[in-house]
Amino acid sequence: MKHKYSFSFNEGDGKNKKLLGGKGANLCEMTQLGLNVPPGFVITTQTCINYLEFRVLPVDLMEEVRLQIQKLETLTGKYFGGSSDPLLVSVRSGSAVSMPGMMDTILNLGLNKTTLAALIELTDDSRFAYDAYRRFIQLFGKVALGIDDEKFDKHFEAVKRNAGIKADVALSSDHLQEISELFLNVVYEETARPFPEDVYDQLEIAIKAVFNSWEGRRALDYRKEFHITPDIANGTAVNIVTMVFGNMGDDCATGVGFTRNPATGENEMYGEYLVNAQGEDVVAGIRTPKPVQEMRKEMPEQYRQLQELRNKLEAHYQEVQDYEYTIERGVLYCLQTRNGKMNAVAMVKSSIDMVTEGLINKSQALLRINPEVLEQLLHPQLQPNHHVKPIAQGLPASPGAACGICVFDADSAVRMAKADNDVILLREETKPEDIHGFFAAQGILTSRGGKTSHAAVVARGMGKACVAGAEDIKVDVHKRQAIVGDIHIKEGDLITLDGSTGNIYLGRIPTVAAVFSEELKTLLAWADSTARLRVHANVDTPETARLAASYGAKGIGLCRTERMFNASDRLPLVVDMILARNTEEREAALAKLFPIQRDDFQQLFEAMSPNSVTVRLLDPPMHEFLPHEHQLLEEIEVLKQYLTTVKGMQVTLDTLKNHTELPAPFDQLSVELILKAIAKKEMMLIKVMELYEVNPMLGHRGVRLGMSYPEIYKMQIRSVLEAAARCLKQRLPIEPEIMVPQVITAQELKKVKQYVDEIRIEVEEQYRLKLNFKFGTMIETVRACTRADKLAEIAHFFSFGTNDLTQAVFSFSREDAENKFLPLYEESGLLEDNPFETLDILGLGKLMKMAIELGRSQRPDLKIGICGEHGGHPRSIRFCHNIGLDYVSCSAPRIPVARLAAAHAKLLEDKPL
Ligand code: ADP
Ligand code: MG
Ligand code: MG
């Protein structure tokens, strides 16, 4: 059979988004559902890939396109390039995943001198015809011929200025004719060729341009940022759609809508429209559109049709839809639908609502939310009673608060962000070419455009705060300033945005953490009852433990005791412990640390009661608690200078003493103090040099410290056990666990277990009770994986420390890898992902599986979890579920993400990862 390059909307398979692109597949599906879609056809993504290989169209493609156009001619009764009723089409891109604004659409293709005249005669509306014509020339010029918008815009603005006109709709037919001619000249000047008159030439050029845009810089950037690989989307389809006109008069309109409010999730009509306008006008934010509610009064019958369309779309797709439509002379056409991109608040609310409405079930409600977005819900909000007056207000386009310095273009945003600034990108309106600025900015502010403008849609997708259409702000990119009333905002000035209210403030306003909504609690409760994996938290303080518990953590999977050591009241004691010259001195210092640690653990147990708390014994090399050598040298130098000064002062004061009543501010004591300080710093310096290691991460750390300085581990063990005893005395249900880091051999574990057993007896006697706790090990060395059965003879539980284990498996040092070669490895496909972010399933995963098998062969009820950063990463969580882990542990802000991901893991366990 001959290769098929295209499908008409009534034959294409609406489920095959890979082949037809999302837009094309949905146009087919809607057509076949009986919704009013203008006739059209889709050229497949496969054709795009064929074309891109050699940048030539398949020989017989245009032949097939001609046949498809003939079908459209039959369906519409119009003729492509015809001198009476001409067929005009739009040429639209669309790949398997929607990429807002990534590839441009050409409208009104098929206009030339002949068809223009025919259109004027047919509609008896030369204004309309010239309006369509000038749009076509500019879009074709820009998208297909690569001519800058600015080249056209300057003529457009000049004609408006000369005529003293503000709004585009006020332009007369003559103005638009003049503009069209100026535009034709622009094309001639810029390409040294006349504008193509042959309509099939136009079509062919346009098809190629859409194909080429797949490899344009913007598209490549976007795919890279969002990890869109060829198996997700490969090539763009081209949709050729009969034009319908929203700009034929006041019974015409064009609009975009969401089936629910994408900012709140509320089940209500939502969207914006413009009377007498063509598609791009709403999306580009050139005129500020009206909320759809106004259509109810202005065009009641069309409003009713729109409601019907909305209900049909949701009922069919069982998902919130983002749709585009045009009303031509009172008739509603649907031009596009796709799953709506909403912020996390709206996703959660609509999930709960749609289950209540009976539209979807709980599993669907969980699965439709990408776990990652839940982190947005923990984004800061402006402090409620800040009493700062906004300087302006725009539309609340994407919620969350953001504060940063103002920049006026995307490149500056990137530059300033690189220099460690929080930035707010402030522009009149944004375009797809600003995308890198979005990545760099904390928030986006525009002075024009609506809630469905480019800025709003993209910011929402990224979960960044955005205020759009703040019309009181006059942006002057050239002067790099914006003016609101008499306030001048210059580049580098601090401003704060509230994407939930649309308010804009000068300066910085404090923010507070977001509250956990009832809806989120419900959703996550569904997730918990679906999931098999439990979610624990990596936290070290009672405050963060309480926070984690409020986010739904079912335990602490990793408490790093060294974090407690770093608090300012403990560090001096820790330093004393390290500087100790012998065991007695060390024990004296440890005795002071002991009650502090015990109280810490007690508070942690209380915060997490009745759930488990896994305390890891000291892990980092000791020199981490001491200052750096160069810092010490500097401090000693400063102290010595100070000593000289003090001594000099004393001599002076001594001389003066007999002559005046001056009090002596410096006495012998201060000299002594300085001398003491110098002595201490010098001791530290000696210790720092003694502790120096070539490769500290592979050096004297973890359980190795416990072997060389048993008294440190013993103090920690006693703290844990006494804290537990104190809780038990209060009848508080707790589940303490002691975990040993960096273990390579069962002998190490046995030794620590001995300490534990000895101390246990002492504490049980002292408190007259029986302790109940678990003893276990981290699995973070390769040897531990290979010897897991032996370790499981002693350990009740394993916790995979995948940060260190990844370094060990790859023989990478994380910092060096990420700073030096990993970006290259990822970019060139040598590695698919950064293994420190996404668990390396193929390599490290294999080792994990082996450790689990060995461990459970020895101890079938061995409890196994993960506490590396991967424990909060959805894909890694799915893997952990599949290999039979009991829990994942992650940082507090990742807990909601992990809870939902754990439910996904269960629901998707039969699907390939
Ligand atoms: P995007 O991917 O940027 O949404 P679209 O292909 O949807 O681009 O087109 C841009 C605008 O042009 C949209 O508002 C769309 O509704 C409008 N449009 C596209 N095709 C037609 C058509 N055949 N008739 C009328 N308007 C159209
Ligand atoms: Mg577009
Ligand atoms: Mg669209």
Side-chain angles (χ1 to χ4, degrees):
M1 207 187 78
K2 190 177 143 299
H3 193 83
K4 198 162 161 58
Y5 300 110
S6 66
F7 294 87
S8 72
F9 290 167
N10 43 38
E11 64 174 344
D13 173 7
K15 300 279 173 275
N16 199 344
K17 292 195 175 155
K18 278 203 79 175
L19 186 67
L20 304 180
K23 196 181 282 173
N26 280 331
L27 284 166
C28 292
E29 185 135 307
M30 288 195 294
T31 304
Q32 291 160 38
L33 276 174
L35 300 178
N36 199 20
V37 176
F41 60 95
V42 200
I43 304 174
T44 64
T45 55
Q46 184 55 50
T47 316
C48 171
I49 296 303
N50 290 354
Y51 165 79
L52 286 173
E53 198 175 344
F54 304 108
R55 303 264 165 181
V56 281
L57 293 177
V59 274
D60 40 356
L61 172 67
M62 286 313 290
E63 219 173 281
E64 193 178 309
V65 166
R66 271 174 200 265
L67 291 176
Q68 289 283 14
I69 292 278
Q70 279 163 23
K71 279 201 239 168
L72 297 189
E73 290 173 335
T74 316
L75 277 170
T76 59
K78 298 174 194 247
Y79 290 93
F80 196 48
S83 57
S84 56
D85 194 356
L87 172 70
L88 303 186
V89 294
S90 64
V91 178
R92 318 165 67 187
S93 60
S95 70
V97 280
S98 94
M99 307 183 196
M102 280 296 106
M103 283 162 281
D104 290 313
T105 294
I106 300 171
L107 299 177
N108 308 329
L109 188 136
L111 276 175
N112 57 20
K113 299 248 154 59
T114 317
T115 55
L116 177 71
L119 196 64
I120 294 174
E121 200 186 302
L122 180 81
T123 57
D124 196 21
D125 186 349
S126 60
R127 187 192 179 281
F128 157 73
Y130 280 114
D131 190 40
Y133 195 36
R134 62 96 186 172
R135 286 172 196 269
F136 171 51
I137 303 166
Q138 176 164 4
L139 273 173
F140 192 87
K142 176 187 168 188
V143 179
L145 305 173
I147 304 169
D148 266 0
D149 264 335
E150 196 204 349
K151 297 268 185 333
F152 296 103
D153 289 345
K154 70 173 188 227
H155 290 290
F156 192 77
E157 294 304 327
V159 171
K160 263 167 86 175
R161 209 171 33 246
N162 290 341
I165 286 171
K166 283 230 168 75
D168 295 1
V169 277
L171 288 166
S172 71
S173 172
D174 287 347
H175 292 136
L176 291 165
Q177 181 175 4
E178 185 190 345
I179 290 169
S180 304
E181 272 151 22
L182 288 166
F183 280 10
L184 287 174
N185 275 336
V186 169
V187 172
Y188 190 74
E189 278 163 19
E190 294 295 317
T191 63
R193 266 184 221 171
F195 192 86
E197 279 289 295
D198 182 283
V199 291
Y200 280 102
D201 282 350
Q202 291 177 358
L203 195 52
E204 185 171 335
I205 295 171
I207 291 170
K208 281 188 197 160
V210 173
F211 285 164
N212 286 329
S213 73
W214 179 252
E215 291 193 335
R217 174 169 164 217
R218 291 186 267 144
L220 290 172
D221 278 358
Y222 189 93
R223 294 205 291 279
K224 204 174 123 206
E225 177 72 19
F226 291 97
H227 303 292
I228 299 171
T229 51
D231 55 304
I232 301 173
N234 201 15
T236 175
V238 184
N239 300 285
I240 311 229
V241 190
T242 306
M243 281 304 301
V244 289
F245 298 99
N247 53 342
M248 269 183 165
D250 286 343
D251 55 352
C252 301
T254 180
V256 295
F258 268 82
T259 55
R260 290 172 199 240
N261 185 324
T264 63
E266 212 64 54
N267 185 2
E268 63 190 10
M269 287 286 275
Y270 181 94
E272 293 168 322
Y273 73 107
L274 276 172
V275 170
N276 198 8
Q278 213 168 27
E280 287 293 350
D281 297 355
V282 185
V283 188
I286 291 162
R287 278 161 61 192
T288 301
K290 303 180 197 178
V292 68
Q293 276 72 17
E294 280 183 33
M295 194 193 282
R296 180 175 233 150
K297 280 171 265 146
E298 204 171 18
M299 303 172 130
E301 168 53 22
Q302 285 67 35
Y303 185 77
R304 196 196 55 73
Q305 285 180 30
L306 200 60
Q307 271 180 317
E308 198 179 301
L309 172 69
R310 159 185 183 255
N311 295 343
K312 280 187 182 160
L313 287 175
E314 261 205 5
H316 177 75
Y317 287 100
Q318 298 189 314
E319 180 53 272
V320 174
Q321 295 294 296
D322 164 358
Y323 58 101
E324 299 180 358
Y325 59 92
T326 283
I327 297 168
E328 179 184 302
R329 305 231 153 114
V331 181
L332 175 72
Y333 293 90
C334 189
L335 290 170
Q336 186 177 339
T337 193
R338 60 183 168 209
N339 291 346
K341 283 197 178 165
M342 300 192 289
N343 66 45
V345 174
M347 281 306 279
V348 172
K349 168 144 180 62
S350 54
S351 256
I352 305 292
D353 286 353
M354 288 199 285
V355 171
T356 317
E357 292 158 25
L359 205 59
I360 56 174
N361 61 31
K362 284 185 188 169
S363 305
Q364 286 172 301
L366 291 168
L367 282 174
R368 68 186 278 273
I369 303 178
N370 172 359
E372 286 291 351
V373 306
L374 295 189
E375 204 180 334
Q376 278 180 36
L377 293 179
L378 311 175
H379 277 184
Q381 306 285 314
L382 287 188
Q383 202 168 68
N385 306 312
H386 57 72
H387 298 304
V388 181
K389 280 225 159 57
I391 52 164
Q393 197 184 25
L395 301 167
S398 179
C403 177
I405 58 172
C406 256
V407 295
F408 292 93
D409 65 88
D411 291 340
S412 307
V414 171
R415 213 178 44 249
M416 300 304 263
K418 278 225 176 95
D420 256 6
N421 295 295
D422 285 347
V423 303
I424 303 287
L425 178 61
L426 171 45
R427 288 189 71 73
E428 203 155 58
E429 58 192 286
T430 62
K431 294 202 170 159
E433 41 271 35
D434 296 325
I435 191 89
H436 52 300
F438 279 72
F439 294 132
Q442 301 316 108
I444 318 294
L445 170 58
T446 65
S447 61
R448 291 206 294 196
K451 282 196 213 172
T452 40
S453 63
H454 175 264
V457 172
V458 175
R460 263 201 306 272
M462 295 186 181
K464 298 206 171 178
C466 174
V467 174
E471 294 185 346
D472 293 341
I473 301 183
K474 301 279 165 282
V475 183
D476 187 336
V477 179
H478 297 292
K479 285 203 187 131
R480 314 217 140 255
Q481 67 170 21
I483 301 174
V484 202
D486 48 14
I487 300 170
H488 288 234
I489 306 171
K490 289 186 294 301
E491 189 156 79
D493 287 354
L494 262 183
I495 59 168
T496 301
L497 302 182
D498 186 346
S500 317
T501 59
N503 285 333
I504 301 144
Y505 306 86
L506 214 52
R508 177 184 296 281
I509 296 183
T511 52
V512 291
V515 283
F516 229 59
S517 73
E518 281 310 309
E519 274 116 1
L520 181 58
K521 281 188 191 148
T522 307
L523 184 92
L524 291 177
W526 293 348
D528 291 347
S529 55
T530 306
R532 200 207 64 236
L533 281 173
R534 288 162 63 95
V535 177
H536 292 196
N538 295 349
V539 293
D540 320 301
T541 62
E543 301 87 77
T544 47
R546 276 188 285 273
L547 185 72
S550 79
Y551 291 165
K554 291 285 188 299
I556 295 179
L558 175 63
C559 165
R560 303 166 169 96
T561 42
E562 62 271 14
R563 299 257 170 116
M564 297 171 162
F565 282 2
N566 272 322
S568 55
D569 56 330
R570 296 117 199 246
L571 196 55
L573 297 176
V574 176
V575 170
D576 283 349
M577 167 188 93
I578 297 172
L579 293 183
R581 279 162 298 192
N582 50 45
T583 314
E584 286 89 81
E585 277 188 25
R586 191 167 309 109
E587 278 177 346
L590 286 169
K592 289 190 201 147
L593 266 175
F594 163 72
I596 302 178
Q597 284 248 289
R598 182 191 56 202
D599 293 351
D600 284 336
F601 293 138
Q602 188 175 342
Q603 287 186 48
L604 276 181
F605 294 156
E606 285 165 2
M608 265 300 143
S609 164
N611 293 312
S612 62
V613 174
T614 310
V615 177
R616 179 178 71 184
L617 301 177
L618 192 65
D619 181 47
M622 300 236 262
H623 61 75
E624 281 199 5
F625 300 101
L626 297 178
H628 281 293
E629 184 179 335
H630 57 82
Q631 188 191 339
L632 280 169
L633 282 169
E634 248 168 53
E635 284 171 5
I636 291 170
E637 190 51 37
V638 170
L639 280 171
K640 282 185 175 163
Q641 282 171 12
Y642 188 43
L643 186 67
T644 322
T645 316
V646 169
K647 280 186 172 160
M649 289 287 276
Q650 244 171 9
V651 174
T652 317
L653 285 171
D654 280 348
T655 335
L656 288 173
K657 217 185 236 163
N658 300 332
H659 307 284
T660 67
E661 296 296 296
L662 277 178
F666 302 104
D667 53 16
Q668 192 55 33
L669 194 65
S670 63
V671 171
E672 264 166 27
L673 277 178
I674 299 168
L675 285 171
K676 250 194 196 163
I678 293 176
K680 177 139 189 189
K681 300 266 176 201
E682 281 175 341
M683 248 169 75
M684 279 179 159
L685 186 63
I686 291 170
K687 199 74 189 178
V688 166
M689 301 209 283
E690 227 177 83
L691 292 175
Y692 171 81
E693 289 175 317
V694 178
N695 200 335
M697 281 304 116
L698 304 178
H700 200 180
R701 57 172 293 208
V703 69
R704 274 102 69 183
L705 289 174
M707 298 298 99
S708 339
Y709 310 106
E711 52 287 359
I712 298 179
Y713 269 28
K714 285 182 182 168
M715 180 279 285
Q716 292 199 301
I717 293 165
R718 188 179 296 276
S719 310
V720 172
L721 296 188
E722 281 206 25
R726 290 177 171 218
C727 290
L728 287 184
K729 278 270 180 238
Q730 299 167 29
R731 305 193 175 286
L732 195 71
I734 54 164
E735 259 189 56
E737 303 188 340
I738 294 173
M739 177 160 80
V740 188
Q742 296 291 334
V743 169
I744 53 155
T745 164
Q747 300 314 315
E748 290 166 328
L749 263 192
K750 267 193 196 136
K751 189 113 191 211
V752 182
K753 183 72 185 344
Q754 253 173 32
Y755 310 158
V756 170
D757 289 341
E758 284 162 25
I759 296 168
R760 168 194 212 133
I761 294 170
E762 289 171 24
V763 174
E764 286 184 342
E765 263 172 24
Q766 185 187 341
Y767 285 83
R768 296 175 192 289
L769 41 69
K770 280 269 165 248
L771 288 170
N772 201 358
F773 62 92
K774 286 199 172 83
F775 178 77
T777 177
M778 289 195 70
I779 302 286
E780 54 184 337
T781 65
V782 175
R783 197 170 191 283
C785 294
T786 59
R787 302 292 291 162
D789 47 345
K790 294 291 163 211
L791 299 181
E793 284 175 12
I794 306 154
H796 300 128
F797 67 89
F798 284 176
S799 177
F800 284 101
T802 47
N803 296 347
D804 275 315
L805 194 53
T806 301
Q807 301 203 76
V809 166
F810 282 79
S811 296
F812 284 176
S813 118
R814 175 168 189 167
E815 279 72 27
D816 292 331
E818 287 185 340
N819 290 330
K820 304 231 158 68
F821 52 84
L822 251 187
L824 169 85
Y825 264 60
E826 277 184 86
E827 223 158 273
S828 53
L830 289 165
L831 276 177
E832 215 171 272
D833 291 297
N834 175 346
F836 296 103
E837 284 168 8
T838 308
L839 196 141
D840 163 44
I841 289 169
L842 298 177
L844 180 130
K846 221 179 206 171
L847 216 49
M848 287 174 74
K849 276 194 212 163
M850 181 176 102
I852 293 169
E853 242 164 67
L854 286 174
R856 291 214 169 116
S857 71
Q858 173 62 39
R859 188 189 287 271
D861 65 345
L862 186 71
K863 175 174 165 184
I864 307 180
I866 177 175
C867 63
E869 241 160 274
H870 307 95
H873 185 277
R875 197 173 127 87
S876 314
I877 291 174
R878 274 188 70 189
F879 178 70
C880 291
H881 172 95
N882 292 349
I883 58 174
L885 259 54
D886 297 298
Y887 70 93
V888 296
S889 191
C890 58
S891 64
R894 299 297 291 178
I895 286 167
V897 176
R899 288 169 74 191
L900 183 56
H904 280 203
K906 172 70 191 166
L907 293 170
L908 300 172
E909 64 188 357
D910 299 329
K911 301 243 156 59
L913 196 65

